[in-house]
Amino acid sequence: MKNIISNINKAFDHRIRLGIMSILMVNEAADFTTLKELLGATDGNIASHTKALEKQQYITVEKSFINRKPNTRYLATDKGRKAFQEHLDALEKLLSSGKKIKKK
């Protein structure tokens, strides 16, 4: 079984990280509030999972002010886009190569 799951990327094994990367793959960027609302997550969840993705260099963070209010935007890096696409490809391969278990 190890061969068919060896390309699954552990960085994306949590639903929040999977959601963050999914959003960033189809959008140029997303801000903290948007991620929080779309994923139904808490501030702490978004903060910890974006930090984990940033540590892997899968996303970058841009901080700025809009009308004197802080704004944090996240963007997927080329490395992150490649890693996420490889993860999706591995999931597709896993699904297509899955074997039925024979009942005894």
Side-chain angles (χ1 to χ4, degrees):
M1 194 69 154
K2 186 177 186 330
N3 283 344
I4 64 173
I5 63 169
S6 61
N7 291 327
I8 303 289
N9 190 326
K10 288 192 62 75
F12 308 122
D13 68 355
H14 192 280
R15 66 184 183 89
I16 300 293
R17 284 183 231 153
L18 186 67
I20 291 167
M21 286 305 295
S22 296
I23 292 165
L24 295 179
M25 290 291 283
V26 297
N27 295 282
E28 180 183 330
D31 66 22
F32 187 91
T33 303
T34 300
L35 291 177
K36 182 180 162 184
E37 290 172 358
L38 289 174
L39 298 172
T42 65
D43 288 0
N45 283 150
I46 297 298
S48 65
H49 290 294
T50 53
K51 187 152 212 79
L53 292 169
E54 185 183 12
K55 185 176 179 182
Q56 293 290 324
Q57 298 177 340
Y58 290 164
I59 65 171
T60 58
V61 180
E62 291 181 351
K63 295 186 181 251
S64 64
F65 286 89
I66 298 175
N67 296 327
R68 296 187 180 193
K69 290 183 181 179
N71 180 271
T72 304
R73 284 180 6 132
Y74 301 94
L75 301 89
T77 63
D78 289 340
K79 178 180 178 179
R81 288 181 177 281
K82 182 177 186 278
F84 193 69
Q85 187 58 57
E86 289 171 354
H87 178 73
L88 294 177
D89 293 343
L91 288 173
E92 281 185 25
K93 186 175 180 181
L94 175 64
L95 290 170
S96 67
S97 68
K99 298 188 175 158
K100 286 213 170 221
I101 299 171
K102 295 179 185 176
K103 293 183 181 180
K104 294 182 180 182

